[in-house]
Amino acid sequence: MKTTINITDDLLLRAKRLARRRGKTLRALVEDGLREMLKREGRSVPRRVRPVVFGKGGLTAEFRDTPWPIIRDTIYRDRG
């Protein structure tokens, strides 16, 4: 597919030099860069964090099935 993008002159020159050094076309270099960014984006899926608990019995019943952001907000609520 053909598309048009606006790139700063300096960035384009640097990309062309890098493509030449690697024996690639500018198109291949841009496609590789886009693939890498999309792969990184796919890895940034939020993970469910299991809190480390010290002492007896673990979390209280109030927080046992509560997501970490709510627990964190509750802990820091009064620290304005």
Side-chain angles (χ1 to χ4, degrees):
M1 178 181 287
K2 192 170 190 169
T3 191
T4 302
I5 57 174
N6 292 315
I7 302 175
T8 62
D9 292 342
D10 178 60
L11 183 58
L12 181 60
L13 289 172
R14 290 171 54 202
K16 284 181 176 181
R17 282 188 214 124
L18 179 60
R20 242 188 331 269
R21 282 197 311 268
R22 293 188 175 183
K24 293 184 169 202
T25 63
L26 180 61
R27 173 186 171 166
L29 187 75
V30 170
E31 287 179 349
D32 288 350
L34 288 171
R35 280 188 197 95
E36 182 62 30
M37 291 302 297
L38 291 170
K39 186 168 51 170
R40 287 183 193 172
E41 184 70 22
R43 279 188 250 145
S44 65
V45 175
R47 297 179 297 150
R48 183 170 169 97
V49 177
R50 294 186 59 195
V52 177
V53 179
F54 297 93
K56 291 178 158 183
L59 295 172
T60 62
E62 175 187 5
F63 294 111
R64 193 156 289 130
D65 295 315
T66 304
W68 170 246
I70 294 173
I71 295 172
R72 182 197 58 224
D73 291 347
T74 303
I75 291 169
Y76 292 107
R77 180 182 4 197
D78 296 328
R79 294 188 181 195

